[in-house]
Structure formats: C-alpha cells, structure tokens
Amino acid sequence: MTRAEAHRHEEAERPLALINARLLDPASGRDEPGGLLIEQGRISALGPELRRNAPEGARVIDCAGHVLAPGLIDMQVATGEPGNEHRETLATASRAAAAGGVTTMVTMPNTEPVMDDVALIDFVLRRARDTAVVHVHPMAALTPGLEGEGIAEIGLLKAAGAIAFTNGAKSVANARVMRRLLEYAKDFDALVVHHTEDPDLAAGGVMNEGAVASRLGLAGIPRAAETITLERDIRLVALTGGRYHAAVLTCAESLAVIRAAKKAGLPVSCGTSINHATLNENDVRPYRTFFKLRPPLRSETDRAAVVAGIADGTIDVIVSAHDPQDVEVKRRPFEEAAFGAIGLETLLPAALRLYHAGDIDLLRLLAAMTINPARLLGLEAGRLAEGAPADLIVLDLDAPWVVDPALLKSRSKNTPFDEARMQGRVLRTFVSGREVYRHNGGDERGLVGGQEGEHDGGDDEVHAGGKGPT
Amino acid sequence: MSATPQASEFSFPHRHLLSAEDLSRDEIVGLLDLAEASARQSRQVDKKTDTLRGRTQINLFFEPSTRTQSSFELAGKRLGADVMNMSVKASSVAKGETLIDTAMTLNAMRPDILVVRHHAAGAVELLAQKIDCSVVNAGDGSHQHPTQALLDALTIRRNKGRIEGLTIAICGDIRHSRVARSNIALLGTLGAHLRIVAPSTLLPPEADSLGAEVATNMRDGLRGADVIMMLRLQFERMSGAYVPSTREYFHFFGLDQEKLGWAKPDALIMHPGPMNRGVEIQSSVADAPRSVIREQVEMGVAVRMAVLSALARHLPNA
C-alpha cells in the first residue's frame, strides 16, 4: 500500500458528515433541513439534529442548504460492454452516471454476446467491480439469444446476479412463449421487464405514426403496436401471476391498461423514459436522428399523458434509456439511422423540468428514480434510512446550465438534449459513502484518479475505477 | 365369496382396466395381494400356470415401449396365454376412423385380452367401446397408465409395509405424465399424502385440483417425504419450450445427494424408467441402496399377471 493509498484508506474509514442539507427522501416523504452521517459505506444517522453538528472526528461536507437525496437507480442502461466498447464501456457509462447522480445502473442484456449465460453475467459484475464507479446490476436475457423462442436459464442467471429479465428492445411476439416465461419466472420470483411493441405492426416504422410522420414521408409506428402487446401481456399476467414490468410506455392508451391492471391487483408495474416525458415527435423535425428512439417519441398529448401518469403514480419508474450510438450509425438518412439516445447525465436535470414546470411534485418525481425501482428490483438502495447504503447525491435544484455534448462523460454523444437549457444539476455523488463525482470541485486531497480518467470540462471524477463497488 | 377371501377371490367387477380412478380401495388391495403371489410364482423355477390357457392376448402398441410391452408379454405367457405383439408406428396411422378400423380388424381375430398403448389421451377408452374383449390401458397419452401405479404401490408396500399416511413426492414433468395422474389417483385412494413437485411450466393448469399438494421447488416438495418418485423428462421438453436447459433443470429439480437430504433419511427412490441420468436423477442416487428402481421392474410383471388374471374371470366361459 502506497502512502497515498494508506491515506485514502484512513480517510475512508472516518465517518463523513453531510451537514446543512435539505433532506429529501421519497421513501419516507421526509423533506426537512438536516444532516446525515456516513460510516462504513452506509448511512448511520440522519435527521435535523445533524443539520449543524457533526460528531467529533468526522469529516464534514457543508451542503450549503442544497438537496441531499438518495442516488438515482436507472433501470435501463445500455453499454457497449461486451462487444461494442467503442460506443461505451461500463467504466465510461458509470462516470456519466456519477455525473448525472445515478448511483445504480441496471444494464441491458443486448450486448455482444447477448447476456444469456451465467458466465457473461459474472463477467459484467467483475468488470463493473474493477472499472465502474457506481453500482451495476445486469439484467439477463429473457429468452436465449433474445430470439423470443425459449426460456433463458432464469434460475441460474438469477443466482449468478441477474437482477431482472428482459428481451431488450425486442418484444416476445409469441404469446405461448410469453406465458411460459411468466410462469417459469414466477417460480424464481424473477421480474420480467418487457419492451411492448408488436413487431409486425411496428415493422419498418422509424417514428411515431401520425401527421408529422406523414408530412416527413417516414413510416410510422402506431401507438397500438405498444398497447396490443401490453394488453396481451396483462392477460398473461392474470393467467400466470408472474411479476411484470412494462419497460417504457409512451401513450395514454397504455396507461389506461396499466391503471386497470393495478386496480385488479395484478403484479404489474411500468416505466417511461425521460425522453418520452420531456420531448415529443415535433422534435424529430427536421430529420434529427438523435431523436430517433424506440419506442418513438409520441405526440404532445401523449407526452402530457405520460407526465400525468408519473404525477398520479400510474407510472412507477423513469429511466434514462441510455443507449450510446456512435456517429457512424446516427449520421445517416433518418430511416437508416440507428435508434437510441444517451441519457445518464441528463436524466435528472431533464426530469427537473417537470418539477420546475409545476407538473410533478419533487418527491414523487424522485421516487420514480429511487425507491420505486429499488422496491421492484429488491435493492436496499434508493432511500435515506439508517443502515441503507450511502448512495447519495447533493443536488442544486436551480443552477442553470446548457448541455454541451463535448463535456458529457459518455463515450457516445448522441444526446437529444444537445444545447438544451437545464435548471438544476448534481453537485456531488456518493456511492457506498465514497464521493465519485463532484461538480467544479477541483482536486480534493489527491483523491482524483483513475485508469481512464478524462478530465475534460470543469468537473471532477473522483476515484474513477480500481476499487469501485459492485 | 368366503369371509376370508383368497388372494384370487376378491371382488373385481371390471371388464376393462382403463384408469386407476376406476379402482376402489379393496380392489387395489386385492390386486396387490394377488400380485404378491404372482411375484412369488415368478421367482420359482417353473413360473407358468394355466390361468389364461387357450386365451389370446394381443399387445397393441402405437407408441414404442420396451419395458411395458415385454412386461405384459411375460405376464401373459406366465399365465399360459398366447401372446401376440403388434407395434404400430404412430406416423403410419391416421387418427379417428383408422383407429376404429384397426379395432374392428383386431376384433375379427377374436382376442380375449387387448393391451393397448396409444399416444392420444382417451384412445384406449375409445377402442374399448368398439371391441368385444377385455382391454387393458398400457398408457394413453398424458392420461393414465394404471398398471404403473399398481406396480409403484406394490413396491412401496413391500418396502414400507403400508401406504396409508406416507408422504409421497412425485417430481418432474407432471404436466405430460400419465404416471403421475395414475399414481395420484391410486395412491390417493390408498390414503397416501401426495405431493407434486415441478416448475410451474411442467405442472398442469390448476394443478391443485388434482388431489395433491403442489410445490414448485424441491426443498418444499421433498420435506419429510417417505417416497420420492422421479419422472422422466422428455428431451424435447427441455430445450427451451418448458424449461430452459438440462443443466438448469438438473440444478433445481434433478435428484442429487443434496436434495435427497431434504427428504426423510429412509426415503425410497423410485423412477418409472427409462432414466435420464444427470438430467432428472444423479447416477449415484439412482444406484443407491434406497433406490428400488429395479424392484419396480420386477413388480411390473407381477402386477400385470394379477391384472390379467383378475380380468380373466369375466371372459366368456370362464
């Protein structure tokens, strides 16, 4: 152990007090001035009594009255590792996550090779442990090779650490297969996360079906493609009792289906993406491929329905749907360009638009990115509570800034929020009590480092790589 | 009937044996007692009697079978019958009318007993309606295989001394298993406490209506079991359609030494055969001293002799 390492180790052992904060915990509804104490990577105390006074011997960080909230859990993150590391690695994605306040990434199985084998789950967990600065929980393939035909080794994959099961961006078209998947997953209490899009109805489509697509001369994907598959799935949930989560819903019709299913007491939940809550099909004009998403951006009416769905709790989860694509596959005619947008770093600032607009209560908004996914996935993170992991963010709700893709940490720059004005940003991010990101923080006691550190811009990534959490 | 009937004199008012559900407790016990006598007979140098002398038994198998067909053949021969085996390739026989045509053709040959196996549930019953002789169901689709249940019951009774009150776990592909359905009916009639253990995809829908406790994991399913009955998992059902893979199935549902520890220490290990070693049962478990798999085969002949003799009572001029 070098002296610097010894020093770092010693520092990490000391309690850390975050004082003078606005404690915001969606799990308990807590919203009050106070402070929080971190020991051994976990929250050991919190409350108003810690607002001014840190225990003796503790390191102290003054939050200057900013929000102290649980770190975000992003339920849909694609990286390029393994197979497309030129787009994104677990390491680069994790640094984007840290900068965006995301302390847990749930990764997608549509890698190369596909995550349908225990050895691959093990690979991702080990790579994440060695290179990522935030927690990584891989989802495994629901069907072998994501081909939608058989049942993946759900029991063994779950035992290896797969947190949930999904067929990526492909729906399971065969109802009999889907029924068996839900039946089988139920025995292992495994969560099935499904992209709901009828492949035949959506075939050839590149954006939302409607007036805009017609004018642009582009083939559309109708809302019904989403709703038909969702309705089928809900009936299969009723038949089997399997736990089901619709990954990204985008229209009012789908939300009506979810409301009815929840009312019937079915084990059903759903998510949407930050893109579908803050953008619409008009943004696609004129053929902007960074807005080419799957499912597609819908109309403004649908977007408003999605926002209302988050506000009333119909939608449980907001994801970034982070999907890094390099310029080669994006700088193409719209029809030929790849789907997908990055989003880890802009998830929270974009979500805050909904808060600033007065559409959604702050606690409800944060719940969709913290405690709700935590409960669905069985994670102990996502809450401010004694004993919970110290995965935390310090958040300036009001700081204005403009998104500069060049400064984003992600290896791919396909953001739909290019040059977008944001209000609110993450100041510090802690994972298991260790600071992994600080905005404009400068060099704190030699803690800056890492194997792949890119020190572009004014931000610091601290402890990048090496001995991150898993 | 005397007050203390001989093994061969219990009441058995059936012309056919089509389903284990048709048998009363006394009939089952009578058949088992008779089978005990047949087992003794089969261990003698001269194994033959003339119970079925002059009778014709046709084994009509629409589905390939080694042990059941040879077991019925041996049983018939030991009782003195003339036994003819007919194996009909399923693919060469169209459904419906052709099956009945086959029945009429056979009927014209004037057999006394027809032993039938068919891949379609209910096919044996359909034949029985169209034919004049006694019919024994040697397995119809996923429906029934009553002589298997009888031989399992006999094997258990010989090893445990009783069946009533025993906890019997039937594990594996319950959904497609005629062995499971027959055993649930027959062992249930005898007062056993039955459990079926399988992943949900291999349980029939509304499995809890079958009369057995349902478990979807082996730990719950084997807890306190006196008897573990492993079922064969057909390979085409393992490759993704019902369960993900052989290795996952074996990991969670294959009977190995560890899972065996969840049952009672003296639990019997049974399997109707043929076994997939390493898929539903570990080799060392299949060959363990507690395994009675080979005894099951021996009792198969004895039970089939008992069934044939009991049915012979109702043959014309008997």
Side-chain angles (χ1 to χ4, degrees):
Chain A
M1 201 184 277
T2 65
R3 193 184 296 179
E5 279 169 345
H7 175 70
R8 194 185 298 180
H9 183 73
E10 201 175 284
E11 281 290 290
E13 289 300 298
R14 282 172 62 194
L16 174 64
L18 304 177
I19 63 164
N20 192 22
R22 176 184 171 191
L23 298 174
L24 213 51
D25 178 34
S28 62
R30 182 199 291 267
D31 181 0
E32 62 180 1
L36 181 151
L37 193 64
I38 300 169
E39 288 178 273
Q40 309 288 337
R42 290 181 177 268
I43 299 168
S44 59
L46 76 163
E49 61 282 3
L50 287 164
R51 185 182 176 191
R52 297 265 171 242
N53 307 312
E56 216 159 297
R59 291 174 297 150
V60 176
I61 292 174
D62 187 331
C63 297
H66 289 305
V67 165
L68 180 59
L72 308 190
I73 298 167
D74 187 345
M75 264 183 84
Q76 187 176 322
V77 177
T79 78
E81 188 168 359
N84 284 293
E85 287 83 353
H86 64 288
R87 291 182 193 161
E88 192 86 284
T89 62
L90 290 163
T92 58
S94 79
R95 282 204 294 277
V102 173
T103 51
T104 297
M105 300 193 296
V106 175
T107 57
M108 295 290 278
N110 46 342
T111 47
E112 288 178 32
V114 165
M115 289 287 137
D116 60 3
D117 193 282
V118 289
L120 293 164
I121 295 296
D122 193 56
F123 169 81
V124 167
L125 289 171
R126 284 167 190 270
R127 284 293 288 171
R129 181 195 64 195
D130 294 344
T131 67
V133 297
V134 303
H135 302 289
V136 173
H137 292 289
M139 288 196 281
L142 186 58
T143 65
L146 298 176
E147 282 171 9
E149 298 294 337
I151 305 171
E153 292 177 318
I154 288 173
L156 294 172
L157 289 163
K158 190 176 181 199
I163 191 100
F165 294 82
T166 181
N167 221 45
K170 287 157 119 181
S171 292
V172 175
N174 185 321
R176 184 183 53 179
V177 171
M178 191 64 184
R179 181 226 178 128
R180 297 230 176 97
L181 286 165
L182 286 164
E183 268 177 346
Y184 193 79
K186 187 188 176 199
D187 291 348
F188 295 93
D189 193 29
L191 179 68
V192 172
V193 177
H194 201 217
H195 171 83
T196 50
E197 185 179 77
D198 183 279
D200 295 311
L201 209 45
V206 294
M207 70 171 292
N208 184 42
E209 183 174 291
V212 179
S214 293
R215 181 156 306 186
L216 291 174
L218 295 172
I221 299 171
R223 294 168 187 81
E226 175 177 308
T227 313
I228 285 172
T229 300
L230 179 67
E231 285 185 319
R232 179 205 69 177
D233 288 352
I234 298 300
R235 288 184 190 278
L236 294 175
V237 169
L239 186 63
T240 61
R243 281 206 297 141
Y244 175 86
H245 178 79
V248 174
L249 298 182
T250 65
C251 62
E253 294 88 336
S254 294
L255 298 181
V257 174
I258 291 289
R259 279 189 193 100
K262 286 185 171 181
K263 202 173 169 194
L266 297 175
V268 166
S269 56
C270 74
T272 193
S273 92
I274 189 60
N275 304 313
H276 295 91
T278 57
L279 306 169
N280 68 35
E281 62 184 348
N282 292 302
D283 292 307
V284 169
R285 286 176 171 154
Y287 302 102
R288 293 161 77 194
T289 60
F290 284 8
F291 293 82
K292 182 177 177 181
L293 306 174
R294 171 155 247 152
L297 293 173
R298 303 285 186 193
S299 70
E300 175 57 20
T301 310
D302 292 312
R303 189 199 69 84
V306 164
V307 172
I310 300 167
D312 70 15
T314 304
I315 293 175
D316 303 272
V317 174
I318 306 172
V319 299
S320 73
H322 185 81
D323 190 2
Q325 301 290 341
D326 56 67
V327 288
E328 297 311 316
V329 295
K330 275 294 189 183
R331 274 195 199 138
R332 289 183 180 185
F334 195 90
E335 289 176 359
E336 296 166 17
F339 289 94
I342 59 168
L344 278 166
E345 221 169 323
T346 47
L347 169 63
L348 182 53
L352 287 175
R353 285 180 171 182
L354 304 172
Y355 158 68
H356 289 303
D359 292 333
I360 304 176
D361 164 79
L362 187 55
L363 282 169
R364 172 77 73 159
L365 186 66
L366 289 176
M369 296 176 281
T370 55
I371 188 63
N372 293 355
R375 284 185 179 137
L376 286 174
L377 299 168
L379 298 174
E380 50 175 354
R383 67 204 84 193
L384 297 186
E386 272 180 42
D391 297 346
L392 303 163
I393 53 173
V394 179
L395 172 65
D396 181 340
L397 282 174
D398 298 309
W401 61 293
V402 175
V403 177
D404 177 355
L407 298 183
L408 294 177
K409 312 288 183 207
S410 178
R411 187 165 280 179
S412 294
K413 309 298 183 187
N414 54 312
T415 173
F417 295 105
D418 183 358
E419 303 294 320
R421 288 180 176 78
M422 298 291 189
Q423 188 181 352
R425 75 182 306 161
V426 174
L427 301 178
R428 293 174 188 263
T429 303
F430 298 88
V431 172
S432 296
R434 290 173 56 243
E435 187 173 274
V436 294
Y437 170 81
R438 190 188 321 165
H439 174 61
N440 283 335
D443 189 352
E444 189 207 14
R445 295 186 296 270
L447 296 188
V448 178
Q451 297 156 342
E452 298 180 54
E454 309 166 42
H455 295 281
D456 45 2
D459 301 341
D460 271 350
E461 311 122 40
V462 194
H463 291 199
K467 51 184 188 128
T470 52
Chain B
M1 296 269 162
S2 64
T4 53
Q6 294 294 301
S8 58
E9 288 176 6
F10 67 99
S11 164
F12 193 79
H14 305 281
R15 193 159 80 95
H16 308 299
L17 177 59
L18 299 177
S19 168
E21 290 181 352
D22 300 336
L23 298 176
S24 71
R25 182 192 169 83
D26 288 347
E27 288 159 11
I28 296 166
V29 171
L31 284 173
L32 296 184
D33 293 345
L34 186 54
E36 286 282 7
S38 301
R40 284 193 295 275
Q41 181 190 328
S42 289
R43 286 184 179 185
Q44 289 167 4
V45 177
D46 182 359
K47 301 176 175 61
K48 213 152 172 166
T49 65
D50 55 4
T51 314
L52 293 183
R53 186 189 168 126
R55 302 294 186 185
T56 302
Q57 172 190 335
I58 298 181
N59 296 335
L60 178 61
F61 277 63
F62 292 87
E63 225 182 37
S65 157
T66 307
R67 71 182 67 200
T68 304
Q69 184 169 334
S70 51
S71 180
F72 269 108
E73 181 179 354
L74 217 46
K77 285 178 171 167
R78 282 183 187 166
L79 295 172
D82 294 317
V83 183
M84 185 180 87
N85 287 317
M86 280 185 67
S87 294
V88 189
K89 261 197 180 161
S91 56
S92 69
V93 178
K95 287 167 192 161
E97 203 174 27
T98 311
L99 176 65
I100 290 168
D101 279 348
T102 308
M104 302 318 285
T105 307
L106 285 170
N107 208 28
M109 297 178 188
R110 308 195 68 78
D112 299 287
I113 296 174
L114 192 60
V115 177
V116 186
R117 169 169 289 188
H118 197 278
H119 47 85
V124 180
E125 201 163 325
L126 181 64
L127 271 179
Q129 290 164 8
K130 300 286 173 190
I131 213 156
D132 298 328
C133 70
S134 284
V135 174
V136 180
N137 185 356
D140 64 325
S142 301
H143 178 221
Q144 280 282 324
H145 188 7
T147 57
Q148 177 72 42
L150 284 165
L151 77 87
D152 288 337
L154 182 59
T155 307
I156 295 168
R157 197 177 76 169
R158 283 166 65 97
N159 284 278
K160 291 286 181 189
R162 68 188 166 107
I163 286 170
E164 192 166 358
L166 294 181
T167 297
I168 299 173
I170 307 175
C171 314
D173 186 359
I174 311 290
R175 175 189 283 259
H176 301 100
S177 176
R178 53 194 172 217
V179 176
R181 283 175 182 74
S182 307
N183 267 312
I184 291 168
L186 192 132
L187 297 171
T189 302
L190 295 179
H193 173 65
L194 287 150
R195 280 200 204 125
I196 48 181
V197 192
S200 294
T201 45
L202 290 178
L203 287 170
E206 303 194 30
D208 48 2
S209 65
L210 291 179
E213 189 186 343
V214 178
T216 54
N217 67 77
M218 290 288 267
R219 193 179 283 273
D220 291 343
L222 295 187
R223 186 175 294 127
D226 298 287
V227 177
I228 306 168
M229 218 179 258
M230 299 305 296
L231 298 177
R232 170 181 168 75
L233 184 58
Q234 309 231 349
F235 190 76
E236 60 271 22
R237 283 160 194 162
M238 287 182 284
S239 52
Y242 291 89
V243 292
S245 64
T246 305
R247 77 170 169 177
E248 173 141 331
Y249 187 78
F250 184 74
H251 185 87
F252 292 102
F253 291 95
L255 188 64
D256 55 16
Q257 293 293 350
E258 188 198 353
K259 297 190 191 78
L260 194 52
W262 301 334
K264 282 193 184 161
D266 61 347
L268 290 184
I269 300 159
M270 303 178 72
H271 193 299
M275 284 183 280
N276 295 310
R277 290 173 186 261
V279 175
E280 71 259 353
I281 191 163
Q282 192 177 27
S283 258
S284 64
V285 171
D287 301 329
R290 291 196 257 156
S291 164
V292 292
I293 296 171
R294 266 168 296 186
E295 187 175 345
Q296 286 174 273
V297 179
E298 183 185 353
M299 290 311 117
V301 179
V303 151
R304 281 153 192 147
M305 288 169 72
V307 166
L308 294 173
S309 345
L311 290 174
R313 295 190 214 157
H314 303 289
L315 295 178
N317 307 319

